Amino acid sequence: MQKSPMTAQGLKRLEDELRHLKTEARPAVIRAIAEARSHGDLSENAEYDAARDRQSFIEGRVLELESLISTAEVIDPSTLSGNRVQFGATVELVDEETDKESTYQIVGLHEADIKERRISVSSPLAKALIGKDVGDSVSVPAPGGDRTYEILKVVYK
């Protein structure tokens, strides 16, 4: 089985979600199904159908999380250093056209969250950054045309 790189924080988030599904969501949906059954005819019972759909989602997500956790290869960015961009790096960039600065952390596929400024190691931006140094410029394909960024800072925390 192929290992999936992940930060310790990413692994903890997956473990927390799995724990929540097993200890809270799963028992709640079982209670909802039991209550819906008590209302009689299941063929036209929307509550029962919704609860069964929710149960199916929960069970599928539990299996997915267990698989992700079992194949996780935890990489601790705090043990890394230097000015070269690697997995786990927090990279400060400036768009060379607009002078807009932005910061992203390069993380595993299953912990990426653009709202939190965490991008997947397999994203076009991360692929362009990996292996580059502070001061380098990178070109990234974008829907409106290629964007060029300069790497201002690389931090491992």
Side-chain angles (χ1 to χ4, degrees), residues 46 55 63 81 87 98 150:
Q55 182 183 37
L63 291 173
S81 64
F87 178 88
T98 65
E150 180 184 345

Side-chain angles (χ1 to χ4, degrees), residues 85-129:
V85 179
Q86 301 175 58
F87 178 88
T90 299
V91 184
E92 191 176 310
L93 308 168
V94 63
D95 184 313
E96 292 184 348
E97 187 176 309
T98 65
D99 286 334
K100 182 176 182 274
E101 292 186 13
S102 50
T103 303
Y104 300 99
Q105 182 182 21
I106 300 173
V107 297
L109 175 66
H110 301 287
E111 57 183 317
D113 182 347
I114 196 65
K115 291 178 195 151
E116 298 292 324
R117 317 296 287 170
R118 293 190 306 264
I119 60 172
S120 167
V121 69
S122 61
S123 70
L125 178 57
K127 285 180 178 181
L129 292 170

Side-chain angles (χ1 to χ4, degrees), residues 1 40 69 82 91 144:
M1 211 175 285
I69 290 167
V91 184

Side-chain angles (χ1 to χ4, degrees), residues 1-2 4 10-11 21 31 42 44 50 60 65-66 70 76 79 90 93 101 104 109 129 135 143 145:
M1 211 175 285
Q2 185 177 353
S4 176
L11 179 61
L21 290 175
R31 286 190 301 273
L42 299 181
E44 295 181 20
L65 289 170
E66 287 174 340
S70 71
D76 183 358
T79 64
T90 299
L93 308 168
E101 292 186 13
Y104 300 99
L109 175 66
L129 292 170

Side-chain angles (χ1 to χ4, degrees), residues 15 22 37 45 49 70 96 103 106 127 130-131:
E15 289 171 338
K22 285 183 167 183
R37 274 192 177 138
N45 189 329
D49 291 341
S70 71
E96 292 184 348
T103 303
I106 300 173
K127 285 180 178 181
I130 296 288

